[in-house]
Amino acid sequence: MSATADIHAYPQAEEVFAACAEFLVERLTTAVRARGVARIALAGGGTPRRLYQLLASRYRDALDWQAVEFYFGDERNVPLDHPDSNFRMARLSLFGPLGIQPHRTFPMISDQQRDPERDADLYETALRRWTAGKVPRFDVTLLGLGSDGHFASLFPDTPALAERKRLVVVNPVAKLHGHRLTLTFPVFEAARDVVFLVLGADKRPSLARIREGLAELPAERLAAKRPTHWFVDRAAAGAP
Ligand code: 6PG
């Protein structure tokens, strides 16, 4: 891994969530102080739910959450109220409990459309609005890690891995027998901070590959290309 990987490993999951929450609060606070707004791309899946609950409880007074704009790194192609929706998970664990105004949250899927290609185009337009057409620079992109080395919905052997122009694409994922919406490598490469939250023994093999400096799997490619921060438990990191 040629770029620096800043790894924070803790024995217990709750310690990992707390350390990651502290880091995010510090980075978002810095962004709000510097630019009046902080922009984060949230991770989906199951791991971040506890982190979001912690932010919405222990850290609810840690910063002006209404100055934060909440985007997503990827989304499943399901309605926003579907149990598999990343937006629904964040709404229930973070936006609702924090009382975030709906106009500060940016779901990738617009329900009335149900047209993923149009949703991807609309999201790309929204992102490019910040930076007059250039690649938008998130303050933080929060990511999980798949046991196959994917992050967001950039899965191994999928067409989105090669995308260098568009910011948001519909990515067909054969192993899931469907497609996902996902931000692309240029967006993650441009972020001020890339934060991975990785827990569980099933992630150990792909995390070990990343620490060896391999750069084949999607998360390895990103970690080899730019600095990344990792908040991991002992199960994922392997015995010290
Ligand atoms: C998703 C996520 C995905 C996730 C990893 C890890 O939409 O599922 O964006 O990239 O972060 O698959 O998922 P877990 O946290 O559930 O292990």
Side-chain angles (χ1 to χ4, degrees):
M1 181 182 317
S2 53
T4 53
D6 172 33
I7 298 182
H8 309 263
Y10 299 88
Q12 302 301 324
E14 203 58 22
E15 296 170 283
V16 182
F17 292 125
C20 189
E22 292 279 346
F23 183 92
L24 294 181
V25 165
E26 188 273 326
R27 287 296 197 271
L28 296 174
T29 300
T30 300
V32 173
R33 284 197 185 124
R35 290 175 290 281
V37 63
R39 294 184 173 109
I40 183 170
L42 295 175
T47 302
R49 178 182 289 109
R50 177 60 191 137
L51 170 68
Y52 299 160
Q53 291 169 339
L54 207 53
L55 290 172
S57 51
R58 192 183 307 169
Y59 296 90
R60 68 178 302 107
D61 299 323
L63 73 143
D64 174 11
W65 288 103
Q66 299 305 330
V68 180
E69 291 182 356
F70 296 90
Y71 297 79
F72 289 81
D74 75 320
E75 184 59 278
R76 291 86 180 278
N77 187 33
V78 295
L80 295 183
D81 59 356
H82 188 282
D84 291 347
S85 164
N86 289 336
F87 178 81
R88 177 178 180 273
M89 185 270 283
R91 175 172 56 79
L92 293 176
S93 57
L94 184 64
F95 305 154
L98 273 181
I100 300 297
Q101 301 295 317
H103 72 279
R104 306 297 284 177
T105 65
F106 297 82
M108 274 189 161
I109 298 270
S110 52
D111 247 1
Q112 63 277 20
Q113 290 298 340
R114 303 298 302 132
D115 172 352
E117 290 292 349
R118 180 168 160 70
D119 285 340
D121 291 345
L122 288 172
Y123 215 67
E124 173 135 357
T125 302
L127 295 182
R128 287 193 186 274
R129 211 172 281 135
W130 316 342
T131 53
K134 294 196 297 287
V135 177
R137 204 162 180 221
F138 279 99
D139 294 295
V140 178
T141 61
L142 177 68
L143 297 167
L145 177 69
S147 52
D148 61 359
H150 82 263
F151 68 95
S153 282
L154 295 170
F155 286 82
D157 308 314
T158 59
L161 297 180
E163 181 59 53
R164 298 299 307 178
K165 290 197 180 339
R166 295 186 60 192
L167 308 177
V168 190
V169 295
V170 178
N171 193 26
V173 185
K175 71 185 288 188
L176 300 179
H177 310 295
H179 50 257
R180 299 263 188 96
L181 270 71
T182 187
L183 300 184
T184 57
F185 266 100
V187 181
F188 295 112
E189 290 165 11
R192 287 188 174 83
D193 280 299
V194 169
V195 178
F196 278 90
L197 178 65
V198 184
L199 288 85
D202 61 318
K203 309 296 173 72
R204 186 179 304 180
S206 46
L207 189 55
R209 286 173 54 100
I210 288 164
R211 297 175 85 165
E212 284 163 30
L214 297 177
E216 292 153 5
L217 301 177
E220 295 168 11
R221 273 179 49 191
L222 184 62
K225 187 140 191 190
R226 53 146 304 140
T228 49
H229 303 274
W230 297 77
F231 292 86
V232 304
D233 68 352
R234 182 172 290 165

